[in-house]
Each structure stands twice: as C-alpha cells, then as structure tokens.
Amino acid sequence: MFESLSDRLGKIFDGLRGRGALNAADVDAAMREIRRALIEADVSLEVVRAFVEQVRERAVGAEVTRSVTPGQQVVKIVNDELVSVLGSDAVTIDLNAPAPVTLLMVGLQGSGKTTTTAKIAKRLKDRQKKKVLLASLDTRRPAAMEQLRVLGEQVGVDTLPIVTAENPVEIARRAEREGRLGGYDVLILDTAGRTHIDEELMAETVAIKEIAHPHEILLVVDALTGQDAINVARSFDGRLDVTGIVMTRVDGDGRGGAALSMRAATGKPIKLIGVGEKMDALEDFHPSRIADRILGMGDIVSLVEKAAEHVSAEDAAKMAKKLKKGAFDFEDLRSQLLQMKKMGGMGGLMGLLPGAGQLKKAMAGANVDEKVFDRQVAIINSMTKKERANPDLLNASRRKRIAAGAGVEVSEINKLAKQHRQMADMMKKVGKGGMGALGGMFGGKMGGMLGGMPDLSRMDPKQLEAMARQAGIDPEQLKGLPAADLPPAQKALPSDVNALLKSSGGPALPGLGGAPRFPGLPGLGKKK
C-alpha cells in the first residue's frame, strides 16, 4: 500500500544524501517535495501541515548542522516524525477485564467487519488460547448472520444460534447471557453497517453499547477509503468513544494516506491491520516498523516473526543438520517452497528486506509469476520418495512420467532439476562456510549484514545488552543462550553470488552484486 509514497520519499532522500552540507534552501526544497508526496498519498491536509512543520523545525536546527552526514540526519528526523504520527508505540487489544470480555465491532458496510471479526476470533483462539463466542447483530444485510456462522465454523469458533425474530439489542442481550453462562473468555459482537453515516445507524449502535458494556470498541476502516476515512472515524468516535482502529485491505493498492492520517486526526491507536483475504492475514500495527517500510528500510523484525510462526524449531534443526552434511534433496526444496508461500511469496518477503525495493521492482518488471511455486510443488509431489531423496535417478522416462503426473511439459522438470542442482551447490557452500556464505548468496546487500556479523561470543556483555535494547529485546531473554561462534572458513568464500555460482559450476546471475545502496542510519532509536 505504501509503495508509491515510499518511492517518492526515496527519491527525495537520495538527493539529500549526496550533499556534504545542507542549507535552509535545501531543506525547504525537500519539505516542499515531502508535502507534495504526502498529499498525493491522500494524507489529510492538516496532518501534512503539522508533519512538515515539525520536520522543518528539527531539520533547520542544530541537530543537522552538527551532524556528520546531514542528509542521513534528515531521513532520521522524518523517520522519527512518521513514527510519532503513526502512534509511537504498538497497542494491542486489551483483554484485561472480567470474562467474558466484550469487543464491539463497528464501521461502514463493506469495510470488512464480519471477516475481521472472524480473523480476530481465530487470532485470540490460536495465540492466546481464549474461548471465543461470535454474535452477528446485523439484521439488515441479507445472509450477514449466516456469513458469520460459516466463518466461525472455518476458524473453529462458536457462534450464537440465529433467531430471526430478534432485533439487534435483543441479540446483544442474549449473546451477553450466553457468553456468561457458557464460560467464554471473549464475546465479539459484529454490528450492522451502512453505506454512509446516518442517525439511525448511530442510535442503534449506541443502544447496543449501553446493553453490552463493551471493553473494546473497534472501528473497522477500509484503507482504500482515502481521506473520508478520517470523517468516518471522527463520527463514530464522537458518539461511541472508539478505543481502537482496525484497518483492512492494507495489502491493496491504496496510497496509504488513511493510515498516516487516522491516528493523528483521531488520537485513537491503529491496533490491527488486515493484510490479505485468508483468516490468518491479520497483523499487529507497529508504527516504527511501518515507518521503516515507508522509508525503504525494510522490516527485519516482522520477517523474523513470520519465519518463527511458520518454521518450527524442529524443522530448522533438521535443516541445519542436513546443511552441515551438504545434503539438499527435492523434499527439502519442497518444504522451502511451501514455507516461502506461507510467508507471503517472493513479493511479500522482498517488501520486508532492507534495500530490496529495487530488486522487487525488477521482479515486477520481469513479470515473475508467483504461481510457479505451486507448479514446482506439484512436480515434486509427482515424484516417488526415492526420486525426491536421490535426484540422480531422474532419467528421461522418469521425467516424462513426472511431467504427465504434474500436468506440465518435460522442460519444466528439466528447469526444476537444474534449479535444484544450483541450490544444492550453494547449500554445500553454506554448510562449509556458515553465515558468510549465506551473506554472499544475497550479494552485497545482505552480505554486509550476515557476512559481517560480529562474533557474539567474544563481545562484552554490556555491548550485547545495548544491542538488545536497541533492537527492542529484553536483555534478560538473552541469558542462557549458547554463543554462536562463526567458523573461520567463511573468510575464504566468495563475497558475491556470481563468484559463488561460478565456483560451484553454475551460471552467473546478473544484477545481484553491488554494495548496499541504503547506508546505516545513525540514532534510529526512540525519540528523546
């Protein structure tokens, strides 16, 4: 959603970084461009004015003149102000109340309330082991209650039995009683919406609030609504005192202005964002991480969290053992493809990697088909267990049989076999050389991060604590972890992917080398 804004800001900062010193005229020119970029991204005008004024005030002052690299310092200031506009700290759904804790979902029709209700229920059930009851109070929209019942079945959560003769207030009263008697931890009420705000809608929702006494009132807003989303939020907040905002369709092609405006205009935190149609496509809203994504710095923390969610420790340990032996068969390739798909595919992962914006654009320009992963998994599924474990068995007749089973041409089997062979060669290098070789595979950008990692076992404990705090980790959690000492063999490995592939007998890949384009930014910690 933030791609166009990220591109515009990236071009502005590229111009600033090239200068040894900045004067007031340079800052003014940059502020004009930033203002134009924010307005084009559909950010509310009042928010744009306040944001640009704050940045200018800090950029023209002593902070920049004392800085060694003024351009980078301006990027840091913009980052700090973006975090401030988006809400500084992440705020989660508050369940600190007597059971059943009632959540009231409100918003306009079509904003995704019913789907979001089911997503939140699944999240609470899976992550916090809560017993959840869903109740639809939407008596106007055809099949709204049935939709919530079906979604409840999909996510394995109970729904209130449908009684068609009742009005929304009566349903709320019955749901509250059922939640209490049934021993439920959380009760989520999905209210009706309208295509626009009217007095009847507000009066009905206020009546439900008085009956249900909700602990949280979550306003569901479509990120594609644009500036009108702010008016919607203010209207609902004025009558209901909303406690938080859930933004849907953040994965769409909206310009991101609603997210930047909503928190600043209403003072209410954005608690969750919907990033897809699947029931698990719901994420916590972290202002600092979103700001990093907008400024092209990636979101490594979210990437690690995604990996931890989809890759079990047992699977990771097995893979590490195989890598140590230099073994990598088709079964391993299949599990890697499935994990990548679960984590959002190549496009989703590229969006979280720092400095990978250009690579993502190149992939988009080359029309890389993400469905190729599905075809490759189908090919591997068509193999026998012996063929997966021993790729050398794949002669011409076996390849014909596999192609027929997967519904593809034999040429696709040949491509996959070649790809597997190259990956197996790389994995052998990684097995021998550790993190340095893995860094080399990413050519410069990630190489600087992985290959140049310090030896944690030889670092002073105070330095480790400082690093942990800067990354937002409690230093106490690091105690008792084994020290990771990297093998010296990594120093002898090639530093970029072309040299690595040549040394393994594979073809060189163009365009993956080069130094990191986005330099490390000083002082990106919390605002003082």
Side-chain angles (χ1 to χ4, degrees):
M1 182 173 81
F2 298 106
E3 276 185 19
S4 58
L5 177 60
S6 181
D7 289 346
R8 286 293 303 272
L9 292 177
K11 287 173 185 172
I12 297 165
F13 295 143
D14 283 344
L16 289 176
R17 276 193 216 100
R19 298 168 185 256
L22 295 180
N23 55 37
D26 295 329
V27 173
D28 284 341
M31 291 307 107
R32 276 196 301 274
E33 289 300 317
I34 289 172
R35 180 192 318 223
R36 193 173 297 152
L38 292 172
I39 289 173
E40 283 183 11
D42 233 356
V43 181
S44 169
L45 187 59
E46 58 187 294
V47 177
V48 173
R49 282 177 179 156
F51 178 82
V52 170
E53 197 53 45
Q54 286 284 99
V55 174
R56 178 188 276 109
E57 191 178 319
R58 291 182 60 190
V60 175
E63 288 183 73
V64 170
T65 54
R66 288 200 207 108
S67 171
V68 180
T69 52
Q72 288 184 17
Q73 191 69 15
V74 171
V75 179
K76 183 222 181 268
I77 292 168
V78 172
N79 179 278
D80 288 348
E81 292 303 325
L82 266 180
V83 172
S84 178
V85 164
L86 289 169
S88 296
D89 297 316
V91 182
T92 56
I93 292 176
D94 181 17
L95 299 180
N96 188 19
V101 182
T102 303
L103 311 182
L104 186 65
M105 310 294 291
V106 299
L108 295 184
Q109 191 174 310
S111 60
K113 280 195 307 300
T114 304
T115 306
T116 302
T117 299
K119 285 181 178 180
I120 292 174
K122 176 178 168 59
R123 187 184 183 85
L124 294 176
K125 178 179 78 80
D126 293 348
R127 295 194 179 188
Q128 300 184 35
K129 309 302 178 190
K130 299 293 183 185
K131 187 181 180 185
V132 185
L133 176 66
L134 302 179
S136 174
L137 313 185
D138 191 349
T139 57
R140 289 176 173 78
R141 183 165 64 89
M145 293 180 169
E146 188 64 23
Q147 181 191 358
L148 188 64
R149 186 189 66 76
V150 171
L151 289 173
E153 285 179 1
Q154 280 182 20
V155 299
V157 170
D158 294 338
T159 53
L160 189 73
I162 298 169
V163 178
T164 52
E166 290 181 335
N167 63 40
V169 174
E170 290 170 340
I171 297 171
R173 196 177 281 117
R174 180 162 62 94
E176 193 275 331
R177 187 172 62 251
E178 182 67 31
R180 204 165 7 92
L181 297 175
Y184 289 93
D185 300 312
V186 182
L187 168 64
I188 308 181
L189 303 176
D190 177 28
T191 62
R194 305 284 191 283
T195 53
H196 60 282
I197 293 167
D198 59 18
E199 184 54 35
E200 186 187 358
L201 166 67
M202 288 301 181
E204 181 184 289
T205 315
V206 169
I208 292 167
K209 179 189 173 185
E210 289 172 357
I211 290 291
H213 303 294
H215 185 62
E216 285 264 26
I217 300 175
L218 300 176
L219 173 64
V220 182
V221 181
D222 188 340
L224 304 184
T225 310
Q227 288 201 22
D228 194 46
I230 301 160
N231 301 326
V232 171
R234 282 177 171 161
S235 300
F236 274 98
D237 187 39
R239 294 292 294 273
L240 298 169
D241 191 20
V242 170
T243 60
I245 296 165
V246 181
M247 193 160 286
T248 59
R249 299 197 215 179
V250 173
D251 58 320
D253 57 358
R255 290 175 285 183
L260 291 175
S261 306
M262 197 77 68
R263 171 68 173 76
T266 65
K268 304 297 178 178
I270 300 172
K271 296 197 170 188
L272 295 166
I273 51 175
V275 293
E277 294 178 9
K278 292 182 179 177
M279 286 295 110
D280 58 353
L282 194 67
E283 293 180 1
D284 290 321
F285 183 82
H286 293 273
S288 58
R289 299 185 197 178
I290 296 293
D292 285 349
R293 287 191 211 182
I294 292 172
L295 296 181
M297 289 182 270
D299 186 356
I300 289 295
V301 180
S302 291
L303 183 61
V304 171
E305 285 179 355
K306 274 192 177 187
E309 196 176 321
H310 295 291
V311 184
S312 69
E314 192 182 343
D315 290 342
K318 280 182 187 173
M319 179 57 75
K321 264 188 184 176
K322 294 191 86 170
L323 284 181
K324 220 169 186 181
K325 294 176 184 174
F328 185 78
D329 57 26
F330 275 116
E331 197 64 61
D332 299 322
L333 177 58
R334 177 176 171 275
S335 67
Q336 296 296 311
L337 292 170
L338 290 173
Q339 282 171 10
M340 189 178 288
K341 194 181 170 189
K342 280 182 191 171
M343 291 170 67
M346 283 296 289
L349 295 179
M350 287 294 174
L352 300 176
L353 286 173
Q358 297 298 323
L359 194 55
K360 189 178 177 184
K361 282 183 202 168
M363 284 175 59
N367 295 320
V368 175
D369 183 10
E370 295 257 353
K371 287 183 180 176
V372 73
F373 294 141
D374 294 332
R375 289 199 295 274
Q376 289 178 340
V377 170
I379 291 169
I380 297 171
N381 286 342
S382 298
M383 297 177 187
T384 64
K385 283 187 178 180
K386 282 186 179 179
E387 287 167 347
R388 289 181 206 171
N390 186 4
D392 293 334
L393 293 175
L394 295 183
N395 56 25
S397 63
R398 286 175 185 264
R399 293 188 187 206
K400 278 184 185 177
R401 191 204 76 242
I402 294 165
V408 297
E409 298 292 327
V410 176
S411 58
E412 294 254 12
I413 313 294
N414 297 337
K415 278 182 193 172
L416 182 62
K418 185 177 179 183
Q419 178 186 332
H420 167 266
R421 191 165 59 249
Q422 291 175 354
M423 285 186 75
D425 289 338
M426 280 189 186
M427 293 303 175
K428 281 178 187 172
K429 294 284 182 186
V430 173
K432 291 175 186 174
M435 294 293 278
L438 187 60
M441 284 167 62
F442 288 95
K445 287 186 173 73
M446 291 295 284
M449 292 173 60
L450 297 176
M453 282 180 70
D455 184 351
L456 301 182
S457 63
R458 295 177 188 174
M459 283 184 70
D460 185 84
K462 289 181 181 177
Q463 286 180 288
L464 283 172
E465 283 187 18
M467 282 175 64
R469 286 199 181 93
Q470 195 171 3
I473 300 168
D474 182 3
E476 292 296 320
Q477 295 176 2
L478 298 177
K479 290 182 180 177
L481 291 177
D485 199 352
L486 301 179
Q490 68 179 18
K491 294 176 185 175
L493 288 167
S495 59
D496 67 87
V497 74
N498 283 335
L500 188 60
L501 282 174
K502 281 175 186 172
S503 67
S504 64
L509 298 178
L512 283 180
R517 293 189 183 178
F518 202 93
L521 299 178
L524 275 179
K526 289 188 178 178
K527 242 170 94 176
K528 293 183 181 176

